[in-house]
Amino acid sequence: MNIQNVTLCGLLLLCVLVSRQSFAQDSIQSHTIKIKVLLEKESLPGATVLIKSLKKGAITDLSGIARIENVPNGQYFVSVSFVGYEQIEQSIQVPMQEVLIVYMKESENALDAIVLQSTRSTRTIKNIPTRIEYIGAEELSEKTAMNASNIAMVLRESTGIQMQQTSLSSGNTNIRIQGLDGRYTQLLRDGFPLYSGFSSGLSILQIPPVDLKQFEIIKGSSSTLYGGGAIAGLVNMVSKTPKEEPQLDLMVTQTQALGSIFNTFYAKRNNKWGYTLYGSGHYQKVYDPEDDGFSNLPETKSVTINPKLFYYPSEKTIMWFGLNGTYDDRTGGDVKKIEDGENGIHQYTEENISKRLSTQAVLETKIDDKQSVTIKNSIAYFDRNLKIPDLTFEGNQWNTFTEATYQRKGQRADWVLGANLYSVSFDEDSQFVERDQNDITYGLFLNTIYDISENWILETGLRTDYAQDWGVFALPRVSLLYKLNSSFTSRVGGGLGYKIPDIFTEEAELVNFRDVQPIDNDMLNAERSYGLNMDFNYQTSLTDEIGFSINQLFYITAIRDGLLLNNTSAGLFQFENAKGDILSRGAETNIKFTYKDFKWFLNYALIDTRLNYLPGNPQKPLTAKHNAGSVIMYETSTWRIGYETYYTGTQFLSSGIKTTDFITMGVLAMRNYSWGSAFVNFENLTDRRQSRFSPLVVPPHENPTFPEIYAPTDGFILSVGVILKPFGNEEEH
């Protein structure tokens, strides 16, 4: 072998060694990979990107990019997750030639995928400038287990909402949103504003929640959407609808306070026809936890039935007709008189017998993919008889509501044009005073939602109402939504409102309408209002198992010509307009943490409601300025366990006396089975009752007086029950 051959072999050997060394170095070389996460066309900050096999991960930044360092060559599965969205898994090969782009999809249970009815739009929550609070089927089932007889529990535990009890004997309760009286809140059922005037006093107690699938709450002036009365806001209760798979729910609840509740709901759709049937029965024995001889819960016998028939003539048209009937008999007061009859000093009772019957009819049809028409009508009848030993107040009220709307969905703008007719007729059975009322209101409204850009959405509306005897009301409204990205959004909006005077106020209810003079159209003005609100919302995933969100709301509502009930020198009660504003302002904070199967909700409400027509601008009586709450939930497919704590701050009585603050607690445990669920609920676990702070009844026994109610009156309530689901066991979402 010559020298040239030796040299050539050496060079070849050297090349092989270098190549092997280079390959070995390549095989252990690490890289920084970049993954960009998008939701539609927007960057998604706060998403978790994880390579489980390497136990390496990162959180996407404001540009939606996650950087994972020191990733060796090879093939891996990358997991991308974000609260409310489906988890994505994708295979990657390292080294990567370019940035990997991942598109997230909303999960089936994502809140933002819910389409709400209150706005009359087909948009989802994230694309509507109006701020709407949503209570879905899952949370409704929890509140139903706590109280299946009425919707008070659902509303009471929402931030900034107070359930104000106006009568110890009847339990009559009104809803207050952000410190404003119940007459300023509109209660809707499937978009029908029927619970008003004479019928509103017992409405909260007469609406069972079992056949409802969701609640939609708009706080602040909403008169542009649904007319007068929505100065403080509106609550729309949406009923369940039939599916192809039949659904049957049977619910039985028993309390230690001798209350028994039975609910049944059945739904089924067969091709072009469908129907739902709901029935409820509630019996409550008179309950007196203080043993002071007067009831804290009245003896109650209540029955509700609500059948609905649905017809689907084509894929574009839906028609349905519903009938709702309620009979309710409540007797509270002296326990011995209720149980044994009048005897000696045992004379005082308050009896409320009410009957409610209403119809609803709806026709919805799509002209094409962009246009639709909806026509709806309702007729409601309410009859109430209120008796105390020396007074009987009775009458009936007819409400009618008819509305036609035309909707058009464009590429960038959606709008709805509508007209409605609303009538209220109250007829009192009395020979001594004429307090009948007849009001007719004609309304015309236009509402638009316009996509200015990917980040800005504008909503504007204008309603013009003509109220017979009260004149014309122009009600503009505007809201603006800003979306920085999928984690941060902000809304600001405001509008005008009005309320036609009627005699059915909280003050009149407190005196059982005794000596209350009729509405004088010539002396009174309609109440008018303006409201503004702004909120900020942020949500993110701290890790793939920990989620966090916060919503901060600021609001202000002012009412001019507020309706007051004043005591005259003749001992009569006369309605007058306030000489100054009622001004409610404040803030609401809602925070949510999630970790695996645990959820922790924190809330705080600052409610500063001032009566500027009085010297010193005092805080509105029976309105706590500071309220806070904490709810911890553990939820799996088998168990649902919750622990609640609520703080109510000090309040002022009408006399100026300052009340004490208090804390209430509750525990719910629910076990799911293949056949349904069993539950136990400990409400007001620490037994906080107003009687522990001050008397609920002031002597003499035969003619008692009842101080204002500022705290719970019934105390601790233990309830147990079962929910049977023979079929149709899936929750509605």
Side-chain angles (χ1 to χ4, degrees):
M1 183 179 295
N2 56 34
I3 294 177
Q4 287 182 342
N5 290 336
V6 172
T7 302
L8 182 59
C9 290
L11 290 172
L12 290 172
L13 180 60
L14 180 62
C15 289
V16 171
L17 291 174
V18 170
S19 299
R20 292 186 60 184
Q21 184 176 2
S22 175
F23 177 79
Q25 289 175 345
D26 269 350
S27 65
I28 62 173
Q29 185 175 354
S30 60
H31 305 269
T32 297
I33 65 171
K34 296 180 181 180
I35 298 175
K36 185 165 186 175
V37 182
L38 299 176
L39 178 63
E40 296 177 350
K41 297 180 180 180
E42 299 178 0
S43 300
L44 183 61
T48 301
V49 180
L50 181 66
I51 302 177
K52 294 182 180 180
S53 60
L54 299 178
K55 296 183 179 180
K56 289 178 177 289
I59 305 295
T60 55
D61 58 20
L62 291 176
S63 301
I65 295 177
R67 295 171 175 82
I68 303 179
E69 300 177 346
N70 300 321
V71 180
N73 292 353
Q75 187 170 1
Y76 306 95
F77 280 97
V78 173
S79 171
V80 182
S81 60
F82 190 81
V83 174
Y85 300 89
E86 293 181 0
Q87 181 172 305
I88 303 294
E89 288 198 355
Q90 190 162 333
S91 175
I92 62 171
Q93 181 68 46
V94 179
M96 295 169 52
Q97 300 301 317
E98 55 188 21
V99 176
L100 175 66
I101 297 178
V102 176
Y103 292 91
M104 299 296 287
K105 297 179 180 179
E106 294 172 341
S107 68
E108 292 182 359
N109 300 330
L111 178 63
D112 283 347
I114 299 296
V115 176
L116 303 178
Q117 296 185 9
S118 302
T119 60
R120 306 175 186 272
S121 169
T122 57
R123 295 195 176 205
T124 58
I125 289 179
K126 70 176 184 178
N127 290 317
I128 293 179
T130 299
R131 182 182 186 273
I132 303 176
E133 297 179 20
Y134 168 83
I135 301 175
E138 184 176 302
E139 188 174 353
L140 268 178
S141 66
E142 298 166 9
K143 303 306 180 188
T144 300
M146 295 177 183
N147 185 352
S149 64
N150 59 67
I151 62 173
M153 185 67 67
V154 180
L155 298 172
R156 187 179 68 192
E157 298 182 357
S158 296
T159 310
I161 294 182
Q162 172 190 358
M163 304 310 299
Q164 179 59 46
Q165 186 174 339
T166 57
S167 170
L168 176 68
S169 299
S170 69
N172 185 27
T173 302
N174 278 310
I175 177 177
R176 286 185 177 181
I177 292 182
Q178 297 174 343
L180 298 176
D181 285 351
R183 70 177 184 273
Y184 299 125
T185 295
Q186 218 169 48
L187 288 177
L188 311 176
R189 179 70 178 257
D190 297 317
F192 289 101
L194 301 175
Y195 305 102
S196 64
F198 189 37
S199 67
S200 67
L202 292 168
S203 291
I204 298 296
L205 304 179
Q206 295 178 344
I207 306 174
V210 176
D211 67 332
L212 302 175
K213 69 176 181 180
Q214 67 192 52
F215 272 65
E216 301 165 5
I217 302 171
I218 302 178
K219 296 175 181 176
S221 181
S222 305
S223 293
T224 305
L225 288 171
Y226 287 95
I231 287 175
L234 65 84
V235 177
N236 187 26
M237 297 161 279
V238 182
S239 304
K240 296 176 181 177
T241 54
K243 310 293 183 184
E244 293 290 348
E245 291 295 322
Q247 178 184 353
L248 175 62
D249 294 349
L250 300 171
M251 182 178 184
V252 180
T253 306
Q254 179 66 45
T255 74
Q256 110 285 353
L258 301 180
S260 304
I261 307 165
F262 175 76
N263 289 280
T264 180
F265 176 79
Y266 181 76
K268 179 70 172 71
R269 177 179 174 180
N270 296 307
N271 196 12
K272 290 190 175 184
W273 293 93
Y275 56 92
T276 63
L277 177 61
Y278 173 68
S280 173
H282 176 210
Y283 174 76
Q284 172 67 57
K285 185 175 174 59
V286 61
Y287 180 59
D288 176 21
E290 285 96 24
D291 290 326
D292 62 358
F294 285 87
S295 63
N296 292 45
L297 289 175
E299 181 179 79
T300 302
K301 290 168 283 201
S302 181
V303 177
T304 297
I305 185 169
N306 184 14
K308 289 183 179 178
L309 180 65
F310 295 77
Y311 177 52
Y312 310 87
S314 68
E315 293 183 357
K316 294 184 177 182
T317 302
I318 300 174
M319 302 171 62
W320 65 267
F321 175 82
L323 181 67
N324 184 285
T326 298
Y327 173 82
D328 190 271
D329 185 351
R330 298 172 184 270
T331 304
D334 192 307
V335 175
K336 283 192 175 296
K337 180 182 178 182
I338 296 172
E339 294 180 338
D340 304 324
E342 186 172 333
N343 182 10
I345 64 171
H346 303 292
Q347 301 177 15
Y348 184 87
T349 55
E350 178 184 330
E351 182 176 14
N352 280 274
I353 299 177
S354 61
K355 304 163 190 173
R356 187 190 301 271
L357 183 65
S358 64
T359 64
Q360 301 89 39
V362 176
L363 167 64
E364 300 177 12
T365 185
K366 293 182 179 180
I367 301 173
D368 51 38
D369 292 339
K370 296 182 179 181
Q371 303 176 88
S372 64
V373 173
T374 302
I375 301 173
K376 56 175 63 175
N377 171 265
S378 179
I379 302 173
Y381 172 79
F382 181 79
D383 179 275
R384 180 183 177 189
N385 184 296
L386 165 64
K387 289 183 180 180
I388 57 177
D390 60 345
L391 174 70
T392 297
F393 177 70
E394 58 184 330
N396 60 75
Q397 176 177 297
W398 287 89
N399 290 29
T400 68
F401 177 76
T402 303
E403 180 183 88
T405 59
Y406 168 75
Q407 291 177 293
R408 182 178 179 85
K409 182 177 178 62
Q411 186 173 356
R412 300 186 65 178
D414 302 341
W415 55 274
V416 56
L417 174 66
N420 55 35
L421 170 64
Y422 183 57
S423 70
V424 178
S425 178
F426 169 67
D427 180 19
E428 182 179 3
D429 297 331
S430 173
Q431 299 177 349
F432 304 103
V433 62
E434 181 65 36
R435 294 185 290 195
D436 295 353
Q437 294 180 201
N438 293 280
D439 295 304
I440 299 177
T441 302
Y442 306 88
L444 182 66
F445 59 92
L446 174 67
N447 202 73
T448 63
I449 302 178
Y450 179 70
D451 294 316
I452 300 173
S453 66
E454 292 184 3
N455 301 100
W456 296 91
I457 301 177
L458 177 67
E459 181 175 6
T460 58
L462 175 64
R463 168 184 283 271
T464 301
D465 277 3
Y466 170 71
Q468 184 176 291
D469 299 327
W470 300 100
V472 177
F473 302 89
L475 307 172
R477 174 175 171 266
V478 62
S479 297
L480 183 65
L481 167 63
Y482 171 64
K483 300 189 295 180
L484 175 64
N485 47 52
S486 298
S487 291
F488 179 83
T489 58
S490 179
R491 290 175 170 87
V492 60
L496 304 184
Y498 79 100
K499 178 75 172 71
I500 293 175
D502 62 41
I503 68 170
F504 304 106
T505 67
E506 288 185 11
E507 292 82 2
E509 187 83 37
L510 284 170
V511 298
N512 295 313
F513 303 96
R514 184 195 298 272
D515 297 325
V516 173
Q517 298 303 292
I519 295 294
D520 188 339
N521 295 4
D522 297 326
M523 297 294 294
L524 293 173
N525 297 320
E527 301 176 87
R528 295 176 180 265
S529 73
Y530 69 83
L532 299 170
N533 61 74
M534 173 183 287
D535 84 317
F536 304 93
N537 188 75
Y538 177 75
Q539 63 175 0
T540 187
S541 292
L542 304 179
T543 69
D544 61 334
E545 294 181 335
I546 300 177
F548 169 79
S549 67
I550 181 171
N551 180 271
Q552 180 63 56
L553 168 69
F554 301 95
Y555 67 88
I556 181 171
T557 301
I559 300 175
R560 188 175 72 250
D561 290 329
L563 190 65
L564 307 180
L565 186 62
N566 293 324
N567 198 346
T568 68
S569 58
L572 304 176
F573 291 96
Q574 183 73 48
F575 286 104
E576 299 176 2
N577 288 122
K579 301 303 181 183
D581 290 347
I582 300 171
L583 184 64
S584 180
R585 55 192 174 186
E588 296 177 12
T589 305
N590 289 278
I591 300 173
K592 177 182 177 181
F593 293 95
T594 59
Y595 174 69
K596 294 185 177 179
D597 297 324
F598 290 91
K599 298 177 182 177
W600 186 20
F601 302 88
L602 294 168
N603 65 67
Y604 168 74
L606 170 66
I607 303 175
D608 187 13
T609 306
R610 299 286 173 173
L611 306 181
N612 291 342
Y613 55 84
L614 293 178
N617 304 331
Q619 174 83 346
K620 181 177 173 59
L622 304 178
T623 305
K625 190 172 184 178
H626 302 285
N627 301 266
S630 168
V631 179
I632 300 175
M633 293 295 302
Y634 171 74
E635 295 179 349
T636 66
S637 58
T638 303
W639 283 99
R640 184 175 295 169
I641 301 173
Y643 171 66
E644 302 179 335
T645 305
Y646 291 98
Y647 168 78
T648 301
T650 57
Q651 306 169 55
F652 289 95
L653 303 180
S654 297
S655 61
I657 296 176
K658 190 176 183 179
T659 70
T660 183
D661 56 353
F662 58 89
I663 295 175
T664 59
M665 300 180 185
V667 175
L668 169 70
M670 180 180 289
R671 175 69 159 84
N672 297 323
Y673 300 91
S674 58
W675 48 263
S677 306
F679 61 87
V680 57
N681 182 58
F682 303 87
E683 192 63 31
N684 198 345
L685 192 60
T686 54
D687 198 23
R688 295 293 87 188
R689 301 196 304 267
Q690 183 168 321
S691 59
R692 298 187 180 277
F693 314 127
S694 61
L696 280 171
V697 184
V698 177
H701 199 96
E702 65 275 14
N703 187 26
T705 56
F706 300 93
E708 293 172 310
I709 297 174
Y710 61 88
T713 59
D714 48 3
F716 168 71
I717 299 291
L718 168 65
S719 58
V720 296
V722 294
I723 304 173
L724 304 177
K725 293 178 177 284
F727 44 81
N729 200 21
E730 294 184 1
E731 292 283 354
E732 288 194 59
H733 296 282

